[in-house]
Amino acid sequence: MKILLVTEQFCLANNGMTISSQRFARILREHGHEVRMMGYSREPVDADGEYAYAMKKLTIPVFDNLITSQGMIFAKVNRKIIRDALVWADLVHILSPFALSHVTIKMARLYGVPFTGAFHVQPENITSSIHLSRADLVNDAIYHWFHFYIYRYCRHIHCPSNFIAGELRLRGYHSQLHVISNGIDPDFVYRKSPKVKALEGKFVVLMVGRLSIEKRQDVLIRAVARSRYADRIQLVLAGKGPRKEALLRLAEKEHLANPLQIHFFPKKHLLELISMSDLYVHAADVEIEAMSCMEAFAGGLVPVIADSRKSATPQFALDQRSLFQAGDSNDLAAKIDYWIEHEAERKAMEYKYSALGKKYALENCVRQAEEMFRQELEEHAGKRRRFICRRRKQSQKDS
């Protein structure tokens, strides 16, 4: 197949959706498909079509700094580029629910090009930035807007978790929903390495993710400060985002025994960090799937996950020892202390969690998505045949 992937950006691997899209494209190519991407790119168009349909950045006055601080860039819609992409493609896969996708869908319907959608943007990810994540009416309005603007046109929608599929059904999404994980990169496997000198003798607690309000790194910082073993714990936050300075100030205010470490790690260094860490915490209130948590437990870390009703991540907890009450630093501190005190149990659970990661192998997840694509192509072809037959019958009547 010639598959066109459409989202706002592909070139900057600074958010989960972009990283998932890049990996998805790579595996599709390995399966023999031609894959091209359409969206913003600061890179030149390259020979293999990685950024074959590159668009300029859309600057949004007033809000532009806030948007880019969240690791997001919007593409400036260019209809000529979209037309060229649709002429090339056998199938279009929509990855984001914004203007570029809306215009692409309108033109794909006009040109008769089949398309599918993926639901990667949770409304709460948007409203958290303006402190409205708990405003259910606002979040519901965004769900309905996404449906009206994008997803009502899609016969098939990829949902990364049962959680988000349930949220869509609850709000009247009538398309066929395919629950398919974004998948774990095969490089994330059980591996333990000696700790570097700076981490020697310390119990390393890791959290990976964008530094934003809904990720709740603040809950983790307070939990570490309240732990009975605070003097032993080295907290590492792997990520970047607008909350970095606020989190550093909070850590100083809470008087962490070991200074908080915040860095963005390329994949190679992240793999090394996971192999030297002792426990993974995922404190986020809002998650469609949480790829970073999946990668961490696939790499051999026991996770402690916020049991939030707005998050899919609790599905990965193998028992209650890996769950804490969302937003409750005291409960999280108690869970961290438990795993510090029960090292043998933690070591045994590391292997069980690593085995769980194999269930979400990227290769298998891409094959499920390919089956969804084939289903759309077959249904589109059948619909087109029926349309042609009706036109022929009408012509015969008219003559």
Side-chain angles (χ1 to χ4, degrees):
M1 282 184 275
K2 294 180 179 179
I3 301 171
L4 177 69
L5 302 180
V6 181
T7 189
E8 298 303 316
Q9 65 173 50
F10 281 99
C11 58
L12 303 174
N14 57 359
N15 64 68
M17 182 173 67
T18 302
I19 293 170
S20 294
S21 302
Q22 291 174 344
R23 293 175 180 174
F24 186 56
R26 187 187 78 239
I27 301 300
L28 284 172
R29 288 192 180 109
E30 290 176 3
H31 289 184
H33 303 288
E34 292 183 60
V35 181
R36 293 183 181 178
M37 301 173 173
M38 183 165 69
Y40 163 76
S41 174
R42 65 184 181 189
E43 306 289 340
V45 176
D46 57 17
D48 67 0
E50 181 77 13
Y51 305 108
Y53 304 107
M55 297 187 180
K56 296 179 180 179
K57 175 186 173 181
L58 175 65
T59 300
I60 301 177
V62 181
F63 296 102
D64 200 63
N65 288 338
L66 175 62
I67 293 167
T68 54
S69 72
Q70 296 289 346
M72 192 66 192
I73 293 175
F74 289 106
K76 188 174 184 179
V77 175
N78 184 314
R79 291 175 182 270
K80 181 182 183 303
I81 293 176
I82 295 174
R83 182 172 64 249
D84 292 343
L86 293 175
V87 168
W88 172 84
D90 293 327
L91 179 133
V92 178
H93 187 49
I94 300 295
L95 293 165
S96 59
F98 304 116
L100 175 61
S101 297
H102 175 71
V103 176
T104 301
I105 286 173
K106 287 178 65 177
M107 294 179 67
R109 296 179 72 207
L110 180 65
Y111 296 159
V113 179
F115 56 89
T116 57
F119 201 96
H120 288 303
V121 180
Q122 195 171 349
E124 288 84 356
N125 288 132
I126 299 171
T127 55
S128 291
S129 300
I130 52 176
H131 303 278
L132 290 174
S133 63
R134 297 186 180 182
D136 290 341
L137 287 176
V138 177
N139 291 321
D140 285 345
I142 296 174
Y143 271 111
H144 290 301
W145 171 250
F146 284 170
H147 181 256
F148 174 80
Y149 197 55
I150 300 291
Y151 295 105
R152 64 179 172 139
Y153 301 110
C154 301
R155 277 189 291 256
H156 300 274
I157 302 175
H158 164 210
C159 299
S161 62
N162 280 310
F163 159 75
I164 200 63
E167 295 292 291
L168 300 189
R169 291 189 188 100
L170 185 66
R171 291 166 176 85
Y173 283 58
H174 299 301
S175 307
Q176 185 171 343
L177 305 181
H178 300 256
V179 178
I180 305 169
S181 171
N182 284 318
I184 300 174
D185 188 295
D187 289 338
F188 289 87
V189 294
Y190 188 97
R191 183 166 66 97
K192 296 296 176 183
S193 302
K195 292 177 180 176
V196 295
K197 188 173 182 179
L199 300 177
E200 285 179 357
K202 296 176 181 177
F203 187 89
V204 180
V205 175
L206 172 66
M207 180 173 171
V208 182
R210 190 172 69 255
L211 306 176
S212 56
I213 294 173
E214 75 274 17
K215 301 302 181 183
R216 299 310 307 271
Q217 288 94 348
D218 61 306
V219 174
L220 175 53
I221 292 171
R222 293 188 178 95
V224 169
R226 296 171 190 180
S227 166
R228 292 193 296 272
Y229 306 95
D231 60 329
R232 289 180 53 193
I233 297 175
Q234 175 60 65
L235 176 57
V236 181
L237 302 180
K240 58 184 177 181
R243 294 276 293 165
K244 180 177 180 178
E245 296 304 320
L247 294 171
L248 288 170
R249 288 194 299 270
L250 176 61
E252 187 175 347
K253 178 182 176 183
E254 293 291 335
H255 304 293
L256 294 189
N258 297 297
L260 172 64
Q261 299 295 315
I262 302 181
H263 305 285
F264 178 80
F265 295 90
K267 178 183 170 183
K268 177 184 176 181
H269 296 145
L270 180 60
L271 288 166
E272 294 172 355
L273 178 60
I274 290 173
S275 73
M276 291 185 285
S277 296
D278 298 293
L279 190 70
Y280 181 83
V281 172
H282 204 79
D285 288 339
V286 175
E287 289 285 6
I288 280 183
E289 186 179 34
M291 186 173 64
S292 58
C293 181
M294 298 165 68
E295 292 171 344
F297 68 67
L301 290 181
V302 173
V304 181
I305 301 164
D307 192 9
S308 170
R309 68 182 183 88
K310 299 276 189 181
S311 172
T313 322
Q315 69 178 310
F316 302 122
L318 294 178
D319 58 47
Q320 289 297 313
R321 294 174 299 174
S322 283
L323 290 173
F324 74 95
Q325 186 174 343
D328 189 333
S329 294
N330 291 324
D331 191 33
L332 176 54
K335 294 297 171 69
I336 292 173
D337 290 349
Y338 176 88
W339 289 115
I340 293 175
E341 293 167 355
H342 297 81
E343 183 176 2
E345 292 181 30
R346 178 166 51 84
K347 294 293 184 184
M349 291 303 292
E350 286 178 349
Y351 289 101
K352 291 184 178 180
Y353 274 106
S354 183
L356 174 64
K358 295 176 182 177
K359 176 182 175 183
Y360 301 99
L362 180 59
E363 179 80 19
N364 295 335
C365 297
V366 173
R367 292 201 182 282
Q368 293 175 57
E370 288 173 307
E371 185 55 39
M372 179 184 74
F373 294 160
R374 284 196 265 295
Q375 192 173 340
E376 167 61 24
L377 287 169
E378 291 171 2
E379 291 174 4
H380 181 82
K383 183 178 180 181
R384 187 170 180 82
R385 283 194 297 270
R386 290 192 295 272
F387 173 76
I388 292 172
C389 287
R390 285 197 299 270
R391 288 291 299 270
R392 286 175 177 170
K393 290 180 180 178
Q394 185 63 45
S395 297
Q396 290 172 356
K397 289 181 180 178
D398 294 342
S399 60

